[in-house]
Amino acid sequence: MFTYCLITKGRRDYLPRTLESLKEALLHPDVQVIVVDNGCPEDISEMLKIWCDSTSAKSHYVRFDVNDTSAPRVWRMLRGFEIEWISFPGDDDIVCPDFLKHARCYIEGDGNLSAIAS
C-alpha cells in the first residue's frame, strides 16, 4: 500500500490542484490518501471532509483543532493506519502520476530500499 499524507493548514490558493492530483493517484488500487486538517478554517475543513467522503473508502480525514507542526503528533496518528510506503506532499504540490510507476520499479528491484525521493 502506498500512502499520500497531506498535512494542510488550509491554503486556499493551492489545495484544489493538490487534491485533484491526489484524486488521480487514488485511481491506483494500492494507493490511499490521508488528509490531515491541521487547524484549518471551518470552511476548508468542511471541503476536506467532503473531498475524502466523495473520493473513495481509501481516503481518510483526520482533524487537529490546533495548527501544530510537531512531527510526533502526526506519527502517533499514522500508526493507526496500514502503511508500507508514505509520501508527504505539501498542500501546494501537484502529485505526479508517473512517480508511482517509477517508485514501484525501484521498490521491486531493491529489497533494501527504505526511501525514495519524488
Side-chain angles (χ1 to χ4, degrees), residues 3-85:
T3 302
Y4 285 103
C5 181
L6 173 66
I7 302 171
T8 182
K9 62 181 180 177
R11 294 168 43 168
R12 295 174 199 282
D13 294 340
Y14 304 105
L15 265 174
R17 291 189 68 205
T18 301
L19 292 172
E20 188 59 37
S21 69
L22 287 170
K23 192 176 199 176
E24 287 183 43
L26 282 169
L27 296 174
H28 296 268
D30 62 341
V31 171
Q32 71 177 335
V33 173
I34 301 169
V35 175
V36 179
D37 175 340
N38 196 10
C40 293
E42 190 175 314
D43 62 317
I44 299 290
S45 295
E46 189 61 29
M47 185 258 306
L48 293 171
K49 283 188 257 184
I50 290 169
W51 185 88
C52 285
D53 289 344
S54 69
T55 52
S56 78
K58 299 184 307 176
S59 298
H60 311 281
Y61 173 81
V62 176
R63 173 160 172 82
F64 294 124
D65 291 331
V66 177
N67 183 313
D68 182 358
T69 59
S70 67
R73 174 175 80 163
V74 171
W75 286 114
R76 279 191 303 273
M77 176 273 302
L78 288 174
R79 286 189 189 107
F81 292 93
E82 182 181 332
I83 297 173
E84 293 175 44
W85 288 89

Side-chain angles (χ1 to χ4, degrees), residues 102-113 116:
H102 297 293
R104 285 184 187 96
C105 289
Y106 292 127
I107 292 166
E108 291 169 7
D110 185 349
N112 295 319
L113 194 64
I116 302 170

Side-chain angles (χ1 to χ4, degrees), residues 83-103:
I83 297 173
E84 293 175 44
W85 288 89
I86 191 164
S87 178
F88 293 91
D91 60 3
D92 63 346
D93 291 339
I94 304 298
V95 173
C96 178
D98 286 342
F99 169 72
L100 290 174
K101 178 176 67 175
H102 297 293

